[in-house]
Structures are given as structure tokens and as C-alpha cells.
Amino acid sequence: MPTMGALHEGHLSLIRSSVEENRCTAVSIFVNPIQFNNPSDLEKYPRDLETDLNLLRDLLREDDFVFVPSVTEMYPEPVTTRYDFDALETVMEGQYRPGHFNGVGIVVNRLLRIVEPDRIYLGEKDFQQLAIIRRLTQIEQLPVKIVPCPIIREPDGLAMSSRNQRLTPEHRKAAPAIYRALKEASADFSTRDIAGLISRITEQIEATGLLKVEYVEFVDEASLQPVARHDESQAVRCFVAVQAGEVRLIDNVRIG
Ligand code: AMP
């Protein structure tokens, strides 16, 4: 399973599932420069290989392995590939982080071709990324089964993320407002109009005075396109991106 390191319980839950379900598990740790659209985010991304390897030593078995390539190993030559993920990349993270998913596609394609796994374990924390990688495996005709894994949260509801380490104590205290607002909207979905829910989520998150909402979207789970109204037959998810000081946080919940 691919990671960018600074491992936390969210990563470890995916690794545990893989270890339980497979004969051999490969974990990669690679902070992929070409998926960062913001140079300061790349520079400040938490890195702690020593601690990561100690955590993995406790989880992995004899035949498992950790792959920690260097940037020049992954990209010996300039990369020119341009993927077309179509409508999946014109919304949400794709819209606000230009080039991000192309960089994700390139690195995941390379990792999958190096490791040749039967299955890849991916977290629903990055739900749009999961959809992009599903599409990537079709484009590249990679015979790998995608195993989606649920979001692991802190006891106060904040979705675990390596970037949480970079929150100031004040922003860390405010951040659980994100999941609280999402949960409340999920419970009220059938009784309120979507525009009203989006405004309320935004207001609740921004009422902290420390968090700034970038987007709130209710989208169809398969197409990731915005839904206009409540329809029982549709699987809907609500997604948010929030700026918490210098740190950008994302989260999502299944509605209903
Ligand atoms: P990253 O290191 O952020 O690139 O994440 C590596 C993998 O771990 C991705 O598939 C993520 O979706 C997954 N992941 C990260 N945080 C969580 C979380 N809180 N719960 C579940 N999966 C997660």
C-alpha cells in the first residue's frame, strides 16, 4: 500500500487489513513531489522515517517489505505523462489542486508496476483519490483489486492525517468542528435542501473563527458529480476542504 509516511493509526489500519488478508504486504513510503501543487506544503510535509520503520517493524511479518525509493529512483527522467481522468478530476481536489491527480496517477502507476500487487489498500479519507486510482487501473489495464478502507478518526472525530501534526494547538482544538458539521448534515439530509445544508456546514465550521472552508460538495459516490436534490436511489457523499491556518484539511462522510 502506498503512503507518504508520517504514519498514523489511519495508515496502520490499512496495513493491518492487508497483513490479515494477504501472504505478503508491501508498504511504500515516498513523499511524491509531483503531486504537491503548493511548494511550501511539500517542504513542510512531516517526515520521520525512523519512527515509521519502528511502527512497521511491529506490524509486518517476515515476507513483507517496505519500499522507500528516492526521488531520482522514481523519476530518473523528467515526467511528461498526462492522464485524462475526465470529470473525476474537474471537481473538488482536482479543481482546487491543479496537477495533483496527474502526479498521483504517475506515482501510483509506477509503484504498481514495480510491486505488481494483487490488491491495493486505499483509505476513504482520500475518496476522490480512490476513484482516480480506480480509473487509473482501467486506463493502464493494471490487474489489481482495489480494497477501500474506512476513515480512521481521533476520539474527537478529526480524521487522522499526517498533516494534523502541523496544526497549532488552537487549530487542533477547532478542527473537530469539521466532522461535527458533516455528521449533523448527514442526519438532516432528507429533510433539508442541499444549498441550505452547504451554507449551514460552512457557517458551523467557520464559526470557530479559525477554520476557512474552501469547498463543501454533495456528490454522487460513483461519478463524483454534484447532486442537485435528495434522491433515495443515489449513494451520496459530502466532501469538505478546510484551511486551518497553514494546514489544509479534507474530510468526507457517506450520507444516510
Ligand atoms: P498518505 O500517506 O496521506 O498518502 O495516505 C496513504 C493511504 O492511507 C491513502 O490510501 C490514504 O487514504 C490512507 N489514509 C490516510 N489517512 C487515513 C485515515 N484517517 N483513515 C483511513 N485511511 C487513511
Side-chain angles (χ1 to χ4, degrees):
M1 58 159 280
T3 82
M4 298 207 296
L7 301 180
H8 49 68
E9 198 46 47
H11 298 113
L12 302 185
S13 71
L14 271 65
I15 297 168
R16 275 192 208 100
S17 300
S18 173
V19 167
E20 266 168 36
E21 294 162 18
N22 300 280
R23 204 167 28 79
C24 171
T25 290
V27 178
S28 65
I29 299 178
F30 179 62
V31 181
N32 178 31
I34 66 166
Q35 75 182 66
F36 284 79
N37 55 313
N38 176 347
S40 136
D41 187 29
L42 170 61
E43 190 202 321
K44 294 183 177 155
Y45 197 83
R47 293 163 170 91
D48 188 352
L49 187 58
E50 194 73 27
T51 307
D52 288 348
L53 293 178
N54 282 331
L55 286 168
L56 291 173
R57 228 169 254 129
D58 291 341
L59 277 190
L60 297 180
R61 298 158 311 183
E62 205 169 308
D63 291 341
D64 302 334
F65 62 94
V66 184
F67 180 47
V68 191
S70 68
V71 173
T72 44
E73 229 174 323
M74 286 304 284
Y75 303 120
E77 275 147 34
V79 274
T80 52
T81 312
R82 287 284 167 269
Y83 284 111
D84 180 4
F85 296 119
D86 209 10
L88 290 179
E89 65 177 337
T90 58
V91 292
M92 304 188 290
E93 294 302 281
Q95 188 184 346
Y96 285 86
R97 300 185 68 189
H100 169 64
F101 285 129
N102 201 60
V104 169
I106 291 170
V107 78
V108 173
N109 177 50
R110 291 189 180 185
L111 290 170
L112 288 174
R113 287 182 188 281
I114 293 166
V115 177
E116 296 188 336
D118 299 319
R119 302 194 183 117
I120 178 170
Y121 288 70
L122 298 168
E124 290 183 339
K125 161 83 176 13
D126 302 280
F127 196 89
Q128 189 174 9
Q129 172 173 283
L130 223 157
I132 291 276
I133 293 174
R134 187 170 279 126
R135 183 82 195 92
L136 173 78
T137 62
Q138 292 162 355
I139 295 171
E140 292 284 356
Q141 301 191 336
L142 295 164
V144 61
K145 182 180 180 310
I146 292 174
V147 185
C149 303
I151 301 176
I152 305 299
R153 299 179 178 282
E154 299 288 354
D156 61 14
L158 176 64
M160 289 194 181
S161 163
S162 304
R163 289 186 177 87
N164 292 352
Q165 286 183 30
R166 296 189 46 230
L167 292 168
T168 65
E170 291 74 26
H171 289 102
R172 174 63 189 83
K173 235 173 121 187
I178 301 168
Y179 182 54
R180 263 202 309 276
L182 286 179
K183 253 195 341 198
E184 210 178 297
S186 168
D188 288 354
F189 185 60
S190 54
T191 58
R192 290 185 62 137
D193 72 297
I194 290 179
L197 285 172
I198 291 176
S199 309
R200 200 179 68 185
I201 293 170
T202 307
E203 280 160 22
Q204 287 176 337
I205 293 174
E206 295 195 341
T208 57
L210 288 165
L211 309 175
K212 180 94 194 73
V213 170
E214 199 169 78
Y215 63 75
V216 178
E217 298 270 14
F218 285 81
V219 307
D220 175 84
E221 252 191 25
S223 69
L224 297 187
Q225 300 310 296
V227 292
R229 68 189 77 78
H230 179 226
D231 172 354
E232 289 286 343
S233 65
Q234 215 170 12
V236 173
R237 242 171 219 269
C238 180
F239 292 78
V240 293
V242 168
Q243 198 66 40
E246 282 193 7
V247 183
R248 193 171 173 281
L249 302 174
I250 57 169
D251 200 352
N252 70 82
V253 293
R254 177 113 198 241
I255 298 297

